[in-house]
Short mmCIF file of all heavy atoms in Angstrom, two decimals:
data_model
loop_
_atom_site.label_atom_id
_atom_site.label_comp_id
_atom_site.label_asym_id
_atom_site.label_seq_id
_atom_site.Cartn_x
_atom_site.Cartn_y
_atom_site.Cartn_z
N TYR A 1 -206.27 72.38 -12.93
CA TYR A 1 -205.88 73.08 -14.16
C TYR A 1 -207.05 73.51 -15.04
O TYR A 1 -206.82 74.04 -16.13
CB TYR A 1 -204.94 72.17 -14.98
CG TYR A 1 -203.72 71.75 -14.20
CD1 TYR A 1 -203.56 70.44 -13.80
CD2 TYR A 1 -202.75 72.68 -13.85
CE1 TYR A 1 -202.45 70.05 -13.06
CE2 TYR A 1 -201.64 72.30 -13.11
CZ TYR A 1 -201.50 70.99 -12.72
OH TYR A 1 -200.41 70.61 -11.98
N GLY A 2 -208.27 73.27 -14.58
CA GLY A 2 -209.42 73.70 -15.37
C GLY A 2 -209.83 72.66 -16.39
O GLY A 2 -209.19 71.62 -16.55
N HIS A 3 -210.90 72.97 -17.10
CA HIS A 3 -211.49 72.00 -18.02
C HIS A 3 -210.57 71.67 -19.20
O HIS A 3 -210.39 70.50 -19.54
CB HIS A 3 -212.83 72.53 -18.56
CG HIS A 3 -213.76 72.97 -17.48
ND1 HIS A 3 -214.76 73.89 -17.69
CD2 HIS A 3 -213.83 72.64 -16.17
CE1 HIS A 3 -215.41 74.10 -16.57
NE2 HIS A 3 -214.87 73.37 -15.63
N VAL A 4 -210.01 72.68 -19.82
CA VAL A 4 -209.24 72.47 -21.05
C VAL A 4 -207.91 71.80 -20.77
O VAL A 4 -207.62 70.72 -21.29
CB VAL A 4 -209.02 73.80 -21.79
CG1 VAL A 4 -208.16 73.57 -23.03
CG2 VAL A 4 -210.36 74.42 -22.19
N TRP A 5 -207.08 72.42 -19.94
CA TRP A 5 -205.76 71.87 -19.67
C TRP A 5 -205.86 70.57 -18.87
O TRP A 5 -205.08 69.64 -19.08
CB TRP A 5 -204.89 72.89 -18.93
CG TRP A 5 -204.42 73.98 -19.83
CD1 TRP A 5 -204.88 75.26 -19.87
CD2 TRP A 5 -203.42 73.89 -20.85
NE1 TRP A 5 -204.23 75.99 -20.84
CE2 TRP A 5 -203.32 75.17 -21.46
CE3 TRP A 5 -202.61 72.86 -21.31
CZ2 TRP A 5 -202.44 75.42 -22.51
CZ3 TRP A 5 -201.71 73.11 -22.34
CH2 TRP A 5 -201.64 74.38 -22.92
N GLY A 6 -206.81 70.51 -17.95
CA GLY A 6 -207.00 69.27 -17.20
C GLY A 6 -207.34 68.11 -18.11
O GLY A 6 -206.80 67.01 -17.99
N THR A 7 -208.25 68.37 -19.06
CA THR A 7 -208.62 67.34 -20.03
C THR A 7 -207.42 66.93 -20.88
O THR A 7 -207.22 65.74 -21.15
CB THR A 7 -209.75 67.84 -20.95
OG1 THR A 7 -210.90 68.16 -20.16
CG2 THR A 7 -210.14 66.78 -21.98
N LEU A 8 -206.63 67.90 -21.31
CA LEU A 8 -205.47 67.61 -22.15
C LEU A 8 -204.47 66.71 -21.42
O LEU A 8 -203.97 65.73 -22.01
CB LEU A 8 -204.79 68.91 -22.55
CG LEU A 8 -203.54 68.78 -23.44
CD1 LEU A 8 -203.91 68.12 -24.77
CD2 LEU A 8 -202.90 70.14 -23.69
N TYR A 9 -204.20 67.00 -20.16
CA TYR A 9 -203.26 66.18 -19.40
C TYR A 9 -203.81 64.77 -19.19
O TYR A 9 -203.06 63.78 -19.27
CB TYR A 9 -202.95 66.83 -18.05
CG TYR A 9 -202.30 68.18 -18.17
CD1 TYR A 9 -202.60 69.22 -17.28
CD2 TYR A 9 -201.38 68.45 -19.17
CE1 TYR A 9 -202.00 70.47 -17.37
CE2 TYR A 9 -200.78 69.70 -19.28
CZ TYR A 9 -201.10 70.70 -18.39
OH TYR A 9 -200.51 71.94 -18.51
N VAL A 10 -205.09 64.67 -18.92
CA VAL A 10 -205.72 63.35 -18.72
C VAL A 10 -205.68 62.54 -20.02
O VAL A 10 -205.35 61.35 -20.02
CB VAL A 10 -207.17 63.51 -18.23
CG1 VAL A 10 -207.90 62.17 -18.24
CG2 VAL A 10 -207.18 64.10 -16.82
N LEU A 11 -206.02 63.21 -21.12
CA LEU A 11 -205.98 62.53 -22.42
C LEU A 11 -204.59 62.02 -22.75
O LEU A 11 -204.41 60.87 -23.20
CB LEU A 11 -206.44 63.49 -23.53
CG LEU A 11 -207.93 63.69 -23.72
CD1 LEU A 11 -208.17 64.75 -24.79
CD2 LEU A 11 -208.60 62.39 -24.12
N LEU A 12 -203.59 62.86 -22.51
CA LEU A 12 -202.22 62.48 -22.84
C LEU A 12 -201.78 61.27 -22.01
O LEU A 12 -201.20 60.32 -22.54
CB LEU A 12 -201.29 63.66 -22.58
CG LEU A 12 -199.83 63.51 -23.03
CD1 LEU A 12 -199.76 63.20 -24.52
CD2 LEU A 12 -199.05 64.77 -22.71
N GLY A 13 -202.06 61.31 -20.72
CA GLY A 13 -201.68 60.19 -19.87
C GLY A 13 -202.41 58.91 -20.20
O GLY A 13 -201.81 57.83 -20.26
N ALA A 14 -203.73 59.01 -20.46
CA ALA A 14 -204.51 57.82 -20.78
C ALA A 14 -204.08 57.23 -22.12
O ALA A 14 -203.99 56.00 -22.26
CB ALA A 14 -206.00 58.18 -20.81
N GLU A 15 -203.80 58.08 -23.09
CA GLU A 15 -203.39 57.58 -24.41
C GLU A 15 -202.03 56.90 -24.32
O GLU A 15 -201.84 55.81 -24.89
CB GLU A 15 -203.33 58.75 -25.40
CG GLU A 15 -202.97 58.35 -26.82
CD GLU A 15 -204.12 57.69 -27.57
OE1 GLU A 15 -205.23 57.61 -26.99
OE2 GLU A 15 -203.92 57.26 -28.72
N ILE A 16 -201.08 57.51 -23.63
CA ILE A 16 -199.76 56.90 -23.48
C ILE A 16 -199.86 55.57 -22.75
O ILE A 16 -199.25 54.57 -23.14
CB ILE A 16 -198.81 57.86 -22.74
CG1 ILE A 16 -198.52 59.09 -23.59
CG2 ILE A 16 -197.49 57.15 -22.39
CD1 ILE A 16 -197.71 60.16 -22.86
N GLY A 17 -200.64 55.54 -21.67
CA GLY A 17 -200.81 54.30 -20.92
C GLY A 17 -201.44 53.20 -21.75
O GLY A 17 -201.02 52.04 -21.70
N ALA A 18 -202.46 53.56 -22.54
CA ALA A 18 -203.11 52.57 -23.40
C ALA A 18 -202.16 52.03 -24.45
O ALA A 18 -202.14 50.83 -24.74
CB ALA A 18 -204.34 53.19 -24.06
N LEU A 19 -201.35 52.92 -25.04
CA LEU A 19 -200.39 52.48 -26.06
C LEU A 19 -199.30 51.60 -25.46
O LEU A 19 -198.86 50.64 -26.10
CB LEU A 19 -199.77 53.70 -26.74
CG LEU A 19 -200.72 54.55 -27.59
CD1 LEU A 19 -199.99 55.73 -28.19
CD2 LEU A 19 -201.37 53.72 -28.69
N PHE A 20 -198.88 51.90 -24.25
CA PHE A 20 -197.91 51.05 -23.56
C PHE A 20 -198.50 49.65 -23.35
O PHE A 20 -197.84 48.63 -23.60
CB PHE A 20 -197.52 51.65 -22.22
CG PHE A 20 -196.35 52.58 -22.30
CD1 PHE A 20 -196.32 53.74 -21.54
CD2 PHE A 20 -195.26 52.31 -23.10
CE1 PHE A 20 -195.24 54.61 -21.59
CE2 PHE A 20 -194.19 53.17 -23.18
CZ PHE A 20 -194.17 54.33 -22.42
N ALA A 21 -199.73 49.60 -22.83
CA ALA A 21 -200.37 48.31 -22.57
C ALA A 21 -200.57 47.53 -23.87
O ALA A 21 -200.32 46.31 -23.93
CB ALA A 21 -201.71 48.53 -21.86
N PHE A 22 -201.04 48.22 -24.91
CA PHE A 22 -201.24 47.58 -26.21
C PHE A 22 -199.92 47.04 -26.76
O PHE A 22 -199.84 45.89 -27.21
CB PHE A 22 -201.84 48.60 -27.18
CG PHE A 22 -202.06 48.08 -28.57
CD1 PHE A 22 -203.24 47.45 -28.91
CD2 PHE A 22 -201.09 48.24 -29.55
CE1 PHE A 22 -203.45 46.97 -30.20
CE2 PHE A 22 -201.28 47.78 -30.83
CZ PHE A 22 -202.46 47.14 -31.16
N GLY A 23 -198.88 47.88 -26.74
CA GLY A 23 -197.59 47.46 -27.26
C GLY A 23 -196.98 46.32 -26.48
O GLY A 23 -196.37 45.41 -27.05
N LEU A 24 -197.16 46.36 -25.18
CA LEU A 24 -196.62 45.28 -24.34
C LEU A 24 -197.30 43.95 -24.65
O LEU A 24 -196.63 42.91 -24.81
CB LEU A 24 -196.82 45.64 -22.87
CG LEU A 24 -196.30 44.62 -21.85
CD1 LEU A 24 -194.80 44.48 -21.97
CD2 LEU A 24 -196.70 45.05 -20.43
N ALA A 25 -198.63 43.98 -24.75
CA ALA A 25 -199.35 42.75 -25.08
C ALA A 25 -198.99 42.26 -26.48
O ALA A 25 -198.84 41.05 -26.69
CB ALA A 25 -200.86 42.99 -24.98
N ARG A 26 -198.83 43.17 -27.41
CA ARG A 26 -198.46 42.80 -28.78
C ARG A 26 -197.07 42.17 -28.81
O ARG A 26 -196.84 41.17 -29.49
CB ARG A 26 -198.53 44.04 -29.67
CG ARG A 26 -198.08 43.87 -31.11
CD ARG A 26 -198.99 42.90 -31.90
NE ARG A 26 -200.38 43.23 -31.84
CZ ARG A 26 -201.00 44.09 -32.66
NH1 ARG A 26 -200.30 44.71 -33.59
NH2 ARG A 26 -202.29 44.30 -32.55
N TRP A 27 -196.14 42.75 -28.06
CA TRP A 27 -194.76 42.26 -28.05
C TRP A 27 -194.65 40.90 -27.38
O TRP A 27 -193.96 40.00 -27.86
CB TRP A 27 -193.86 43.26 -27.33
CG TRP A 27 -192.42 42.86 -27.31
CD1 TRP A 27 -191.59 42.68 -28.38
CD2 TRP A 27 -191.62 42.58 -26.15
NE1 TRP A 27 -190.34 42.30 -27.97
CE2 TRP A 27 -190.33 42.24 -26.60
CE3 TRP A 27 -191.88 42.60 -24.78
CZ2 TRP A 27 -189.30 41.91 -25.72
CZ3 TRP A 27 -190.85 42.28 -23.91
CH2 TRP A 27 -189.59 41.94 -24.38
N LEU A 28 -195.38 40.73 -26.26
CA LEU A 28 -195.27 39.50 -25.50
C LEU A 28 -196.17 38.39 -26.05
O LEU A 28 -195.79 37.22 -26.02
CB LEU A 28 -195.62 39.75 -24.04
CG LEU A 28 -194.65 40.62 -23.24
CD1 LEU A 28 -195.18 40.84 -21.83
CD2 LEU A 28 -193.28 39.97 -23.18
N GLY A 29 -197.35 38.77 -26.54
CA GLY A 29 -198.31 37.75 -26.90
C GLY A 29 -198.60 37.60 -28.37
O GLY A 29 -199.18 36.59 -28.79
N GLY A 30 -198.23 38.58 -29.19
CA GLY A 30 -198.56 38.51 -30.61
C GLY A 30 -197.95 37.30 -31.29
O GLY A 30 -198.60 36.59 -32.07
N GLU A 31 -196.68 37.03 -31.00
CA GLU A 31 -196.02 35.89 -31.64
C GLU A 31 -196.65 34.58 -31.21
O GLU A 31 -196.83 33.66 -32.02
CB GLU A 31 -194.53 35.90 -31.26
CG GLU A 31 -193.73 34.77 -31.88
CD GLU A 31 -192.26 34.83 -31.51
OE1 GLU A 31 -191.80 35.91 -31.09
OE2 GLU A 31 -191.59 33.80 -31.62
N THR A 32 -197.03 34.49 -29.93
CA THR A 32 -197.68 33.27 -29.44
C THR A 32 -199.02 33.06 -30.11
O THR A 32 -199.36 31.94 -30.50
CB THR A 32 -197.87 33.37 -27.91
OG1 THR A 32 -196.60 33.53 -27.29
CG2 THR A 32 -198.54 32.11 -27.38
N MET A 33 -199.80 34.14 -30.27
CA MET A 33 -201.09 34.03 -30.93
C MET A 33 -200.93 33.57 -32.37
O MET A 33 -201.67 32.72 -32.85
CB MET A 33 -201.82 35.37 -30.88
CG MET A 33 -202.21 35.82 -29.49
SD MET A 33 -203.51 34.83 -28.76
CE MET A 33 -204.92 35.41 -29.68
N ARG A 34 -199.97 34.13 -33.07
CA ARG A 34 -199.74 33.72 -34.47
C ARG A 34 -199.29 32.27 -34.54
O ARG A 34 -199.64 31.53 -35.46
CB ARG A 34 -198.70 34.64 -35.11
CG ARG A 34 -199.23 36.01 -35.48
CD ARG A 34 -198.24 36.77 -36.35
NE ARG A 34 -197.02 37.08 -35.61
CZ ARG A 34 -196.85 38.19 -34.89
NH1 ARG A 34 -197.82 39.07 -34.81
NH2 ARG A 34 -195.72 38.42 -34.26
N ARG A 35 -198.52 31.83 -33.55
CA ARG A 35 -198.06 30.45 -33.54
C ARG A 35 -199.22 29.49 -33.32
O ARG A 35 -199.26 28.39 -33.88
CB ARG A 35 -197.02 30.29 -32.43
CG ARG A 35 -196.35 28.92 -32.39
CD ARG A 35 -195.27 28.90 -31.33
NE ARG A 35 -194.25 29.91 -31.61
CZ ARG A 35 -193.24 30.18 -30.77
NH1 ARG A 35 -193.15 29.52 -29.61
NH2 ARG A 35 -192.36 31.10 -31.08
N TRP A 36 -200.18 29.90 -32.49
CA TRP A 36 -201.33 29.06 -32.23
C TRP A 36 -202.31 29.01 -33.39
O TRP A 36 -202.81 27.95 -33.76
CB TRP A 36 -202.07 29.55 -30.98
CG TRP A 36 -201.37 29.23 -29.69
CD1 TRP A 36 -200.29 28.42 -29.53
CD2 TRP A 36 -201.71 29.73 -28.39
NE1 TRP A 36 -199.91 28.39 -28.22
CE2 TRP A 36 -200.77 29.18 -27.48
CE3 TRP A 36 -202.68 30.58 -27.91
CZ2 TRP A 36 -200.80 29.45 -26.13
CZ3 TRP A 36 -202.72 30.86 -26.56
CH2 TRP A 36 -201.79 30.30 -25.68
N PHE A 37 -202.61 30.18 -33.97
CA PHE A 37 -203.69 30.26 -34.95
C PHE A 37 -203.23 30.40 -36.39
O PHE A 37 -204.03 30.24 -37.31
CB PHE A 37 -204.61 31.45 -34.61
CG PHE A 37 -205.28 31.33 -33.28
CD1 PHE A 37 -204.93 32.16 -32.22
CD2 PHE A 37 -206.26 30.37 -33.07
CE1 PHE A 37 -205.54 32.05 -30.99
CE2 PHE A 37 -206.89 30.25 -31.84
CZ PHE A 37 -206.52 31.09 -30.79
N GLY A 38 -201.98 30.72 -36.60
CA GLY A 38 -201.45 30.82 -37.95
C GLY A 38 -202.17 31.85 -38.78
O GLY A 38 -202.49 32.95 -38.31
N ASP A 39 -202.49 31.52 -40.04
CA ASP A 39 -203.12 32.47 -40.95
C ASP A 39 -204.53 32.84 -40.53
O ASP A 39 -205.05 33.88 -40.92
CB ASP A 39 -203.16 31.89 -42.37
CG ASP A 39 -201.77 31.73 -42.95
OD1 ASP A 39 -200.86 32.44 -42.48
OD2 ASP A 39 -201.60 30.89 -43.86
N ARG A 40 -205.16 31.99 -39.74
CA ARG A 40 -206.53 32.29 -39.32
C ARG A 40 -206.62 33.57 -38.50
O ARG A 40 -207.68 34.19 -38.41
CB ARG A 40 -207.10 31.14 -38.48
CG ARG A 40 -207.37 29.87 -39.28
CD ARG A 40 -207.89 28.78 -38.37
NE ARG A 40 -206.88 28.41 -37.38
CZ ARG A 40 -207.15 27.67 -36.29
NH1 ARG A 40 -208.39 27.27 -36.06
NH2 ARG A 40 -206.19 27.33 -35.45
N LEU A 41 -205.51 33.96 -37.88
CA LEU A 41 -205.51 35.16 -37.06
C LEU A 41 -205.87 36.41 -37.85
O LEU A 41 -206.46 37.34 -37.34
CB LEU A 41 -204.13 35.35 -36.42
CG LEU A 41 -204.00 36.46 -35.38
CD1 LEU A 41 -204.86 36.15 -34.16
CD2 LEU A 41 -202.55 36.63 -34.96
N SER A 42 -205.54 36.42 -39.13
CA SER A 42 -205.76 37.62 -39.94
C SER A 42 -206.93 37.49 -40.90
O SER A 42 -207.14 38.34 -41.74
CB SER A 42 -204.49 37.94 -40.75
OG SER A 42 -204.17 36.84 -41.58
N VAL A 43 -207.70 36.42 -40.80
CA VAL A 43 -208.82 36.23 -41.74
C VAL A 43 -210.14 36.09 -41.00
O VAL A 43 -211.01 35.35 -41.40
CB VAL A 43 -208.58 35.00 -42.65
CG1 VAL A 43 -207.45 35.27 -43.60
CG2 VAL A 43 -208.33 33.73 -41.84
N GLY A 44 -210.27 36.79 -39.87
CA GLY A 44 -211.58 36.88 -39.24
C GLY A 44 -211.72 36.18 -37.92
O GLY A 44 -212.76 36.27 -37.28
N LEU A 45 -210.70 35.44 -37.46
CA LEU A 45 -210.84 34.74 -36.20
C LEU A 45 -211.09 35.71 -35.06
O LEU A 45 -211.92 35.48 -34.19
CB LEU A 45 -209.56 33.92 -35.91
CG LEU A 45 -209.57 33.17 -34.58
CD1 LEU A 45 -210.61 32.07 -34.63
CD2 LEU A 45 -208.21 32.57 -34.28
N LEU A 46 -210.39 36.83 -35.06
CA LEU A 46 -210.55 37.82 -34.01
C LEU A 46 -211.19 39.10 -34.52
O LEU A 46 -211.16 40.13 -33.86
CB LEU A 46 -209.18 38.13 -33.38
CG LEU A 46 -208.48 36.95 -32.72
CD1 LEU A 46 -207.13 37.39 -32.17
CD2 LEU A 46 -209.32 36.37 -31.61
N GLY A 47 -211.78 39.03 -35.70
CA GLY A 47 -212.49 40.18 -36.21
C GLY A 47 -211.68 40.98 -37.21
O GLY A 47 -210.46 40.91 -37.26
#
């Protein structure tokens, strides 16, 4: 598809895939992390 359209399709797929992976980890593991670390999770433990 050439440089422009090829890049656009790659960007779209990579972004969607990354957001899926991020959301999945957040949904499955976020509650567990908060349960383990409590308030420390949001005050610099992970940056």
